Amino acid sequence: KRLLTTTTQPRKDLTTMTILRRAILFLVAFASASAAPFELPELPYKYDALQPIIGEKTLRTHHTKHHAKYVSTVNTILSRDESKISLTLEQIIQSKGIRENNPFRFNNAAQIWNHSFYWKCMAPPNEGGGGCLMKKASSQT
């Protein structure tokens, strides 16, 4: 783990291949250590499937920017606290300690769960979605 040698002479025992191997091992270890425990879920329908109630641009932005930011934020927070990295969203949300001591972590985790649930609560009109909103939108055209 020693990064600096006590001499000003370059170490001749490290070949270019050894240095490259060490760099690759470091990058692989770093990438593995920072692997995100949560991922942005795919939508159960296409971005344009909820039109005219929710437009494609609105849905795409909400999913790929807004929801994705919650996922990214929680993964960043958890990567700094190895004792919490194995927790599920439900465990984070249900933890009174996290809720009281780290409301930022709690709120972002709750928003991941909330948005994931939200996407599943909607369906395209041809799959039973729409309901009274669809009727109202149709009557206004």
Side-chain angles (χ1 to χ4, degrees):
K1 288 192 170 189
R2 191 172 64 175
L3 298 176
L4 300 173
T5 58
T6 54
T7 177
T8 56
Q9 298 295 322
R11 290 184 60 184
K12 295 180 181 177
D13 59 329
L14 292 179
T15 66
T16 303
M17 287 306 293
T18 301
I19 293 169
L20 284 173
R21 275 192 216 110
R22 287 183 180 181
I24 290 169
L25 288 173
F26 171 78
L27 290 173
V28 168
F30 180 77
S32 297
S34 63
F38 301 113
E39 295 180 356
L40 182 67
E42 290 187 30
L43 293 181
Y45 35 76
K46 294 182 179 186
Y47 288 112
D48 65 352
L50 302 179
Q51 296 185 101
I53 306 302
I54 301 176
E56 178 182 359
K57 183 177 178 184
T58 299
L59 190 57
R60 184 181 303 277
T61 300
H62 199 83
H63 181 246
T64 64
K65 304 283 190 225
H66 188 71
H67 189 182
K69 180 63 177 167
Y70 288 123
V71 173
S72 172
T73 300
V74 169
N75 286 332
T76 299
I77 292 168
L78 292 178
S79 72
R80 296 179 190 149
D81 186 352
E82 288 187 23
S83 68
K84 304 282 190 267
I85 201 144
S86 64
L87 296 176
T88 66
L89 283 177
E90 290 81 3
Q91 289 170 325
I92 293 170
I93 295 165
Q94 292 171 355
S95 169
K96 183 177 180 184
I98 292 174
R99 190 170 51 251
E100 291 177 353
N101 300 320
N102 196 330
F104 185 70
R105 179 184 297 159
F106 166 79
N107 289 336
N108 279 274
Q111 286 299 332
I112 294 172
W113 189 94
N114 183 43
H115 281 75
S116 298
F117 178 74
Y118 174 70
W119 305 131
K120 294 174 188 172
C121 290
M122 297 183 288
N126 62 346
E127 293 178 25
C132 63
L133 288 175
M134 181 61 93
K135 290 176 189 170
K136 186 171 183 170
S138 297
S139 69
Q140 293 179 358
T141 56

